[in-house]
Amino acid sequence: MVDPVDRYAVFGNPISHSKSPLIHHLFAQQTSQNIEYTAELVATDGFDAAVADFARRGGKGLNITVPFKQQAFALATRRSARAERAGAVNTLVLHSPGDYYGDTTDGIGLVRDLIRNHRYKLCDKKILVLGAGGAVRGILEPLLDNRPAQLTIANRTRTTAVQLASDFADLGEVHGCGLNDIGGDAFDIIINGTSASLGGELPPLSPALLHANTFCYDMMYAAVATPFMRWSKENGCAETADGLGMLVEQAAESFRIWRGVEPVTGKVIETVRLSLAQPDL
Ligand code: ATR
């Protein structure tokens, strides 16, 4: 007898460039799971109804992306501790219409990409995080779990960074400041969590933030180096990365939550990288 297909999807707006269907298709192939995974464009005022409809039609789980992660948080009837901290949900397990478990895998995705794929240890490092929006809130707990020496959050709007730092002060040495008053010595790792790269922009940054071995990581990804990655290279930093590995790692954690198996990510990252240059893949 043929197993019935379990249905999953990513909900977002916009969604047409999503790599999630490709990633989950590769995971399913690798782990012999019989699933279907689609990308669904959801109207900005139609999120709750779209989730209910997908659940009614037997959908088992969803990934949630911009701009619905806070709405998914509110809609979840139960949530993981890490989702509570992040204030956002990117993974829903649909038990039945109206009964949804919410989790967030973005932060663990970033940390796994750093540790497993880039072999970068965060323990005792000086971390600078640029930005203080939803994306940054989602990565702070897993970063702090790795016991860095200190973590500075710098944001265009200073007060948001200061507030965010105080929200996470119980987890470690966290400071908030403006982009212009970062101060102090150079950092070991700088993580760009602003949405500036989306518009091809770069926050104004002093090269004094860098030493020769500073690792510059952009949570955004693109077929070519992002403005932040270009800035770091122009200022003598060899070690840069974009967030494609984070994307694949967060997907792997969602897949594990849904299917109970953890896919291997290395080859999948390579294939998705290729597909950025060849969009028809
Ligand atoms: P996300 O969910 O992607 O985090 P967000 O919550 O809207 O989106 O947050 C966007 C972040 O990028 C904010 O920290 C924002 O700074 P402000 O709080 O000052 O708005 C930052 N950001 C966006 N465009 C920027 C730019 N051109 N330069 C610097 N920071 C920028």
Side-chain angles (χ1 to χ4, degrees):
M1 203 174 85
V2 180
D3 286 338
V5 178
D6 286 340
R7 294 191 61 216
Y8 298 86
V10 57
F11 279 9
N13 189 337
I15 202 66
S16 61
H17 296 294
S18 174
K19 291 292 173 194
S20 293
L22 170 63
I23 294 169
H24 284 281
H25 173 75
L26 294 168
F27 287 165
Q29 245 178 6
Q30 182 199 109
T31 60
S32 305
Q33 301 281 306
N34 193 15
I35 71 162
E36 180 187 293
Y37 188 109
T38 53
E40 307 286 341
L41 178 70
V42 172
T44 44
D45 61 352
F47 178 73
D48 290 10
V51 175
D53 184 54
F54 191 75
R56 260 196 307 274
R57 289 187 286 123
K60 300 281 188 203
L62 289 169
N63 278 136
I64 311 298
T65 189
V66 176
F68 298 122
K69 289 183 187 181
Q70 276 80 23
Q71 284 180 61
F73 178 90
L75 191 62
T77 37
R78 284 170 297 125
R79 292 183 284 255
S80 66
R82 62 190 180 188
E84 293 289 351
R85 263 280 182 186
V89 155
N90 80 336
T91 305
L92 284 172
V93 180
L94 309 178
H95 293 295
S96 62
D99 180 8
Y100 314 131
Y101 175 74
D103 202 345
T104 180
T105 64
D106 290 326
I108 194 75
L110 168 67
V111 166
R112 285 195 182 146
D113 189 37
L114 290 171
I115 294 175
R116 293 182 182 175
N117 303 326
H118 296 287
R119 310 256 166 230
Y120 193 86
K121 290 196 177 66
L122 293 159
C123 183
D124 295 328
K125 295 289 178 9
K126 279 185 69 183
I127 304 179
L128 173 61
V129 177
L130 305 173
V136 167
R137 181 175 283 274
I139 63 168
L140 293 178
E141 182 180 13
L143 286 176
L144 290 164
D145 281 349
N146 280 273
R147 307 251 165 264
Q150 63 163 87
L151 191 153
T152 298
I153 304 166
N155 194 40
R156 181 173 62 181
T157 310
R158 181 181 178 278
T159 48
T160 322
V162 172
Q163 179 60 51
L164 192 56
S166 91
D167 290 350
F168 284 81
D170 58 315
L171 297 183
E173 190 75 26
V174 198
H175 311 280
C177 61
L179 287 172
N180 301 323
D181 57 336
I182 298 172
D185 298 331
F187 289 84
D188 300 313
I189 174 165
I190 306 179
I191 299 168
N192 181 22
T194 71
S195 49
S197 294
L198 277 178
E201 287 177 35
L202 178 68
L205 298 169
S206 161
L209 300 172
L210 302 170
H211 59 61
N213 296 319
T214 302
F215 182 24
C216 288
Y217 187 101
D218 201 331
M219 285 166 62
M220 299 285 163
Y221 64 88
V224 294
T226 67
F228 174 66
M229 292 165 71
R230 288 204 303 274
W231 169 81
S232 68
K233 280 191 181 140
E234 281 158 14
N235 286 284
C237 279
E239 287 241 34
T240 66
D242 72 4
L244 190 70
M246 173 181 175
L247 174 79
V248 174
E249 294 296 342
Q250 64 78 29
E253 180 65 0
S254 296
F255 193 91
R256 187 193 64 74
I257 291 165
W258 293 325
R259 308 301 298 180
V261 282
E262 197 172 324
V264 178
T265 53
K267 288 251 162 44
V268 175
I269 294 172
E270 282 174 26
T271 306
V272 180
R273 175 73 64 198
L274 267 177
S275 84
L276 286 179
Q278 304 163 30
D280 295 336
L281 199 80

